[in-house]
Amino acid sequence: MKSFTAGGKTITAFSAAEPESPIIYLNTFSNEGQKVFEAARALGCPPFTLVAVSDLNWNHDMAPWNSPPAFKNAEPCTGGADDYLRLLTEQIIPMVENELPCTPKWRGIAGYSLAGLFALYSIYQTDRFSRVASMSGSLWFPGIKEYVASHEPKRWPDCIYFSLGDRESRTRNPMLKTVGQNTEEIQGFYQARGIDTVFQLNPGNHYDHAAERTAAGICWLLNR
């Protein structure tokens, strides 16, 4: 395990035992990288390097554009994803991968909640990632479904994993209740274009077993 800092973010790399293994970048809400890495290894994932980024300004760094609060007493989203993505691609990725013994086999991006939204949005801004995992992704985010359908990714990914808890859409909140339908339609959009993709439903609500759900998505990417 190695730790770095860049742009006020903390970056922790959990390295694979084998050279040329894939590398996956995971943006985290509460520095849960080690828990996710251990859960993935417990599932028997192929060797990989996990790079977990923490100390994010969550509602700013992970949001592609401004959006009002999703629920009472929540903070608004302030659209800093493009700035953070520049930090990720221009500083964090080179810094981490310069320390590796050789070039990774492929590079993926993963995230839970708003970071799942960011993971999907990122492929429209950079060609650095060939695989994407969006676990309980905030695809209720206003305008994201329309954005996906009307813009061309910088690189069509080899595969995309989507998941939700099966109770996440069961809410009176008019914004959040769209997450199930939006995720299903977005996944269908990629599937219709020949992308290897899946939409997995997990028991429970948004906050249940986040690390384990994240590990499951990563393992799916690694096993394609």
Side-chain angles (χ1 to χ4, degrees):
M1 185 178 76
K2 292 184 178 181
S3 291
F4 312 84
T5 58
K9 319 302 181 190
T10 300
I11 303 101
T12 308
F14 303 87
S15 295
E18 297 182 12
E20 298 184 9
S21 297
I23 188 166
I24 295 178
Y25 289 82
L26 175 70
N27 293 298
T28 68
F29 181 74
S30 56
N31 195 23
E32 63 270 22
Q34 183 164 358
K35 187 174 181 181
V36 170
F37 188 65
E38 291 173 356
R41 290 200 295 181
L43 289 172
C45 287
F48 75 109
T49 295
L50 181 70
V51 179
V53 185
S54 58
D55 296 324
L56 295 164
N57 183 346
W58 193 248
N59 283 18
H60 180 71
D61 294 337
M62 298 291 98
W65 46 79
N66 294 346
S67 176
F71 46 87
K72 189 176 180 180
N73 299 325
E75 295 292 324
C77 291
T78 52
D82 289 346
D83 288 339
Y84 170 66
L85 189 58
R86 276 191 290 274
L87 175 69
L88 179 62
T89 57
E90 296 176 10
Q91 294 188 44
I92 295 175
I93 289 176
M95 181 175 61
V96 170
E97 296 185 12
N98 283 343
E99 296 292 319
L100 298 177
C102 53
T103 302
K105 186 176 181 181
W106 51 262
R107 187 185 296 115
I109 185 166
Y112 196 93
S113 194
L114 275 175
L117 168 73
F118 176 85
L120 190 64
Y121 175 73
S122 70
I123 64 172
Y124 291 84
Q125 310 303 318
T126 179
D127 62 1
R128 293 293 190 95
F129 305 108
S130 61
R131 303 189 187 193
V132 179
S134 175
M135 283 69 62
S136 286
S138 300
L139 302 184
W140 50 261
F141 198 84
I144 190 62
K145 182 174 68 172
E146 294 77 13
Y147 183 89
V148 164
S150 62
H151 289 73
E152 185 87 4
K154 297 293 185 183
R155 172 181 182 172
W156 287 98
D158 298 331
C159 55
I160 311 179
Y161 176 92
F162 296 95
S163 73
L164 282 178
D166 61 8
R167 294 173 56 194
E168 291 195 52
S169 298
R170 300 178 191 176
T171 173
R172 294 180 180 178
N173 185 301
M175 191 180 292
L176 299 182
K177 73 186 300 182
T178 65
V179 69
Q181 182 177 344
N182 282 7
T183 303
E184 187 173 354
E185 290 182 12
I186 290 171
Q187 189 263 342
F189 170 83
Y190 292 113
Q191 190 170 51
R193 279 147 187 80
I195 303 296
D196 182 11
T197 179
V198 69
F199 177 20
Q200 177 74 48
L201 277 177
N202 301 296
N205 219 320
H206 184 71
Y207 298 102
D208 295 333
H209 310 294
E212 292 78 8
R213 291 179 184 179
T214 301
I218 288 171
C219 283
W220 187 89
L221 294 186
L222 292 165
N223 282 303
R224 307 320 289 164

